[in-house]
Amino acid sequence: MKRKTMVLPAVAGLLASVLTACAGSDDGGSGGGTIVVGTTDRIEATADGPAPLDPAQAYDVGSWAVMHNAFQTLMRLPRSGTDPVPDAAERCGFVDRRSEQYRCTLRAGLKFANGHELTSADVKFSLDRVRAIHHENGPVELLSSIDKVEAPSPREVVIHLSTPDATFPSKLTTPAAAIVDSETYGEKSLYKGFASAGSGPYTMEAEESGDRVTKLVFEKNPNYQGKLNPQTDKVEMRYFDDAAEMEKALADGDIDVVNREFAPEQIEKLEAGEVDGVRVFESSGQAIRYLVFNTEAPAVKEKAVRQAIAHVVNRQALMRDVYKRTGEPLYSLIPTGTTAHINSFHNAYGDPDVEKAAEILRAAGIQGKVKLPLTYSTEKYGPETAKEFTALSKQLNASGLFTTTLKDVKWSEFRPAAARGEFVVYGMGWFPDFPDPDNYIAPFIGDNNFLKSPYRNATIEDRLIPSTRQVGQRAMATRDFQRIQDIIADDVPVLPLWQAKQYVAAREDITGTEYAVDSSAMLQLWELGRGTKD
């Protein structure tokens, strides 16, 4: 995320997907000078997360954006569409009808950037390693259906699944399945710091200050074997402390592309053409924002309280007043534009209605105002997050049913504290790991869920999710996914708030921007090139 955490930025200047721009050539990389990409994402080593670019730990959109370009996976998503295609593999596929045994043949001549040979033993090592380390905030759940991995020959990999999983090829496109060098990485220890040893289209070198990355330099990998064709030999990613500083760098020509993340007011300025030589593009997005309820916390343990909150929150007002319509109200964990989406929360609660909220609380015997601590992280999700939670607080307090308090927590403290159940109600975001409705449901449900939420529902966990994963034709799983959405709307372990639009800003001579992200909003630096201004 997202996705990554798939963690989502709170402003609408989200990871960019472009629909109309000058297309990059399919010819060989043209060089054309270094392309500089700006972002306000933070890549930071902490006590709880000392290895932010290790596939066994990394699970946020900023880290995944880097890893996607420096590592290979067996499969990847295509330029357009959602069906995975081979990457480090020459071919892959299920060899049984139940989607429980997955076999891949690697490309010939694969090497890591350091010159070491890449074989099936490294693939097995990489998948086993993520599961063995089992980092608390890592992406291990994406590989939880693996029973065992075999490497019967240097180019053959056989992955046995413990349960049928038609989404498994998509999971193999994520950095959770990145192939690492078994001679460099520890079998059960994290690769600390900001270095990497991958086989992707680019090598990567980091510049850092203290425990934070300030710049990453990507150079075309001479050892890369695959079908990707970098359109420029060198790309830099520069990390800015705030969006205003990044906007100035874009206006001055110091950076060429803004990947993430501008505030709504900045997007309005760019769309109005107020920054010379810069174009901004908008498309629909699949990133979502939501509230999480600690269903064991006394204040929200009663379902009636969570349902009352669902009756009060005014998503339209949030989008209009805080985000300047750079997003859309969201009424399900599965966003619009994704197979199986239905507006379950709107169907259940309709437009904001304080009287209905009060009736639910009275029927449950809840008297007096419910005290609600609301927690968020401006550091991670941007300055609009504080405005968003101030607006949410006002909506809830104005109902006369709740008394709220607000707390902004540093991101390095936020994630561990949330996982320990220290927050009652808190804000999170999600970029999809892969473009399938499963990825908006399964990570949030069950014993090892991404949120470490205590919420459980046997119907979803034991029947509906397993049922959807047996269906290779994903549209045929729609009915079960819609049932899941209705159950979540009734139980309210989370409250979907809004769905992001996607934006990118680029200098006029930058090409390939329509392919700059794939269908899971993953950054693809190899598509960016430099042409001439229109």
Side-chain angles (χ1 to χ4, degrees), residues 73-386:
T73 47
L74 288 171
M75 303 290 285
R76 64 176 176 85
L77 292 173
R79 270 185 167 184
S80 59
T82 60
D83 293 332
V85 298
D87 184 7
E90 185 177 86
R91 59 182 177 274
C92 283
F94 284 109
V95 294
D96 66 326
R97 291 184 177 182
R98 286 178 52 80
S99 300
E100 288 184 315
Q101 188 179 123
Y102 198 73
R103 183 180 293 268
C104 294
T105 301
L106 300 183
R107 297 183 189 277
L110 289 173
K111 290 184 178 180
F112 291 102
N114 59 16
H116 294 173
E117 186 180 12
L118 191 164
T119 71
S120 60
D122 294 291
V123 177
K124 172 178 166 55
F125 172 85
S126 302
L127 297 175
D128 287 346
R129 177 177 178 270
V130 173
R131 296 159 60 225
I133 292 176
H134 208 285
H135 192 270
E136 181 181 14
N137 295 318
V140 63
E141 185 62 21
L142 289 171
L143 307 181
S144 63
S145 61
I146 294 178
D147 180 29
K148 65 178 179 178
V149 184
E150 297 176 327
S153 72
R155 291 181 57 199
E156 296 295 322
V157 179
V158 182
I159 304 170
H160 300 269
L161 305 183
S162 56
T163 57
D165 187 0
T167 71
F168 189 69
S170 294
K171 293 173 180 176
L172 289 179
T173 70
T174 71
I179 304 169
V180 302
D181 183 3
S182 59
E183 296 183 52
T184 303
Y185 286 73
E187 183 178 0
K188 295 184 179 181
S189 60
L190 292 171
Y191 195 59
K192 298 178 182 178
F194 306 112
S196 67
S199 59
Y202 287 103
T203 64
M204 185 276 290
E205 294 290 337
E207 294 183 12
E208 58 194 86
S209 176
D211 293 324
R212 293 180 58 186
V213 169
T214 57
K215 183 169 75 173
L216 292 171
V217 179
F218 296 86
E219 295 195 67
K220 193 172 180 179
N221 179 8
N223 290 326
Y224 170 70
Q225 296 291 325
K227 290 189 175 181
L228 300 176
N229 197 8
Q231 296 300 301
T232 193
D233 294 337
K234 187 175 181 180
V235 181
E236 290 184 3
M237 289 188 70
R238 296 183 186 173
Y239 293 79
F240 293 85
D241 289 332
D242 59 64
E245 180 187 3
M246 185 168 64
E247 181 188 348
K248 183 178 186 303
L250 181 65
D252 292 344
D254 294 332
I255 58 177
D256 300 297
V257 180
V258 169
N259 170 233
R260 288 165 34 95
E261 55 188 85
F262 276 147
E265 291 80 7
Q266 291 174 301
I267 293 171
E268 287 183 323
K269 182 192 298 185
L270 291 166
E271 288 184 320
E274 296 180 20
V275 180
D276 291 340
V278 174
R279 295 179 295 182
V280 63
F281 306 94
E282 173 190 315
S283 71
S284 59
Q286 300 301 298
I288 68 172
R289 187 66 189 269
Y290 55 97
L291 292 179
V292 183
F293 297 99
N294 179 352
T295 53
E296 288 186 349
V300 295
K301 187 172 184 177
E302 290 288 340
K303 182 168 69 172
V305 174
R306 306 193 298 271
Q307 291 178 330
I309 293 170
H311 268 300
V312 170
V313 168
N314 188 331
R315 298 168 177 82
Q316 296 280 358
L318 290 177
M319 289 298 94
R320 181 189 66 238
D321 301 336
V322 177
Y323 290 104
K324 312 300 180 186
R325 296 184 173 86
T326 51
E328 298 290 341
L330 181 63
Y331 298 94
S332 172
L333 276 178
I334 299 176
T336 58
T338 301
T339 302
H341 164 84
I342 55 173
N343 289 320
S344 293
F345 274 82
H346 196 273
N347 295 341
Y349 303 101
D351 294 330
D353 192 323
V354 172
E355 284 303 316
K356 288 184 179 178
E359 289 175 9
I360 287 175
L361 293 176
R362 284 196 298 269
I366 298 171
Q367 299 178 349
K369 295 182 179 181
V370 178
K371 295 181 180 180
L372 288 179
L374 305 178
T375 309
Y376 58 95
S377 180
T378 297
E379 181 183 71
K380 181 65 181 180
Y381 295 118
E384 269 61 39
T385 311

